[in-house]
Amino acid sequence: MADKKARQYSVLTIKKLYALSGNRCAFPNCGVTFLNWEDDTNFSNICHIEDANQNTHKADRYNSKMTSNERADYNNLLLLCPNHHIETNNPENFTVDALRDMKRNNEEDVLQKLAGQNLITKNPSALNIVIGSLGSSIFDNTTVNDPSSAPDPVEKILYNNVVRYKSIIEEYKVYQGRLNKVYEEIEKQGSTKKEFVLLNIRTAYLIEKKKYSSIEEIRANADNIIEKVETKLWHLIENSSNANTHLPIEAIQISLYVVLVDAFMRCSILEEPPKQ
């Protein structure tokens, strides 16, 4: 039976897909752009990485353990041109991992280009919206304190074996000062959102950490752990009353990276290197 909910995408999911696709097919070296601005023609197909429905006649990428919402989630979707959509329907040549790598590589290229566009400066309210969304409620009553001395980010990246997110951490750590000023302004208004934001991020990390029994396993899965935390935070933003669909979604995503990297620097995500 067809899973209709697997194709019910949220507004922010659609906007994020197009924004971080760079308006182009994710297939390597494909020159097809999606939108023809002259007549509004759209050449894109929304494709599921792990299939929306099970195909009983051949091998597929269907995951019976996924929920309908997970199948319709941003992390399970990528944009392809019609020809490459058909080509990637062959699960033997294009596995789940291959499609995830295809999407990541395309997004990394797009994010590198976005980094030079000063989107946070041009959209100063984006950081406030992200903080408001992530700090609107807390998961539990645990208290979170800043480390007495934050570890060197290079050492922490190496210690945790961060690979995919290394460039993101290096790119957005420079915004920590600006983020601190936003936190200070919010706290002057009597809000404790900074504490709530860090608590939610720390809690999201600890939930993922429970899946691994040793630092070796954490190091082997560091990027996947960060990605899982990022996904949980994005869902908080998506479901928050603070979400503003009129802002460029790229500015919201980059603001989320700034908050995520700041939390990494404050040791709310991954493990602190042992002190010498």
Side-chain angles (χ1 to χ4, degrees):
M1 185 172 65
D3 185 353
K4 295 181 179 179
K5 290 185 178 180
R7 302 184 188 280
Q8 294 177 0
Y9 317 120
S10 72
V11 172
L12 285 183
T13 291
I14 294 293
K15 295 187 76 170
K16 186 176 179 181
L17 272 172
Y18 281 96
L20 298 188
S21 74
N23 190 37
R24 71 186 188 203
C25 175
F27 198 93
N29 302 315
C30 179
V32 172
T33 54
F34 292 143
L35 299 177
N36 184 331
W37 303 113
E38 294 181 358
D39 58 11
D40 293 330
T41 302
N42 190 333
F43 297 100
S44 67
N45 284 179
I46 297 177
C47 312
H48 290 78
I49 295 174
E50 298 196 55
D51 291 344
N53 302 301
Q54 187 171 17
N55 189 334
T56 57
H57 302 292
K58 63 177 183 179
D60 57 18
R61 293 182 293 259
Y62 184 78
N63 181 353
S64 61
K65 295 181 180 180
M66 290 184 84
T67 65
S68 298
N69 288 338
E70 288 172 336
R71 294 189 183 103
D73 188 71
Y74 173 82
N75 283 348
N76 193 47
L77 305 173
L78 79 162
L79 295 179
L80 295 171
C81 67
N83 287 344
H84 283 128
H85 187 186
I86 294 172
E87 183 175 347
T88 56
N89 276 339
N90 184 336
E92 294 180 358
N93 294 338
F94 297 94
T95 63
V96 168
D97 288 340
L99 293 183
R100 291 199 190 285
D101 287 342
M102 187 184 298
K103 179 180 180 181
R104 287 188 188 116
N105 290 337
N106 186 53
E107 286 185 354
E108 286 176 4
D109 185 46
V110 172
L111 284 168
Q112 285 181 356
K113 295 175 181 177
L114 291 174
Q117 295 183 13
N118 298 318
L119 288 172
I120 291 182
T121 301
K122 295 176 182 176
N123 301 276
S125 62
L127 266 178
N128 296 70
I129 287 172
V130 169
I131 292 170
S133 299
L134 301 183
S136 58
S137 61
I138 56 174
F139 294 142
D140 59 34
N141 295 319
T142 306
T143 58
V144 174
N145 298 315
D146 289 347
S148 55
S149 59
D152 179 85
V154 174
E155 291 182 8
K156 189 173 179 185
I157 289 170
L158 289 173
Y159 179 69
N160 288 277
N161 195 33
V162 178
V163 179
R164 289 202 321 268
Y165 276 85
K166 178 183 176 183
S167 60
I168 290 174
I169 294 168
E170 292 174 342
E171 182 70 45
Y172 297 110
K173 67 183 181 181
V174 298
Y175 288 96
Q176 194 172 31
R178 178 176 297 188
L179 179 61
N180 283 333
K181 289 182 180 179
V182 175
Y183 279 143
E184 289 171 5
E185 289 300 318
I186 292 174
E187 288 170 353
K188 285 179 182 177
Q189 300 170 15
S191 174
T192 57
K193 280 192 168 59
K194 172 185 172 183
E195 180 183 356
F196 288 179
V197 169
L198 294 175
L199 174 57
N200 281 339
I201 295 174
R202 181 65 178 172
T203 302
Y205 167 61
L206 291 177
I207 290 171
E208 291 303 313
K209 182 181 177 180
K210 289 178 181 178
K211 300 175 183 178
Y212 307 100
S213 59
S214 67
I215 182 61
E216 288 75 18
E217 288 187 2
I218 291 172
R219 294 181 75 248
N221 293 276
D223 288 294
N224 292 333
I225 291 171
I226 298 176
E227 185 174 67
K228 291 286 188 181
V229 173
E230 181 191 342
T231 298
K232 290 178 185 293
L233 301 182
W234 178 262
H235 288 163
L236 284 177
I237 295 170
E238 195 171 31
N239 296 317
S240 170
S241 59
N242 291 297
N244 186 332
T245 56
H246 299 294
L247 275 175
I249 206 72
E250 303 96 313
I252 297 293
Q253 178 63 52
I254 289 175
S255 295
L256 174 56
Y257 280 145
V258 169
V259 172
L260 193 66
V261 170
D262 174 75
F264 175 85
M265 306 274 282
R266 296 176 188 270
C267 296
S268 293
I269 305 174
L270 294 183
E271 299 301 294
E272 184 175 357
K275 295 180 180 179
Q276 302 297 327

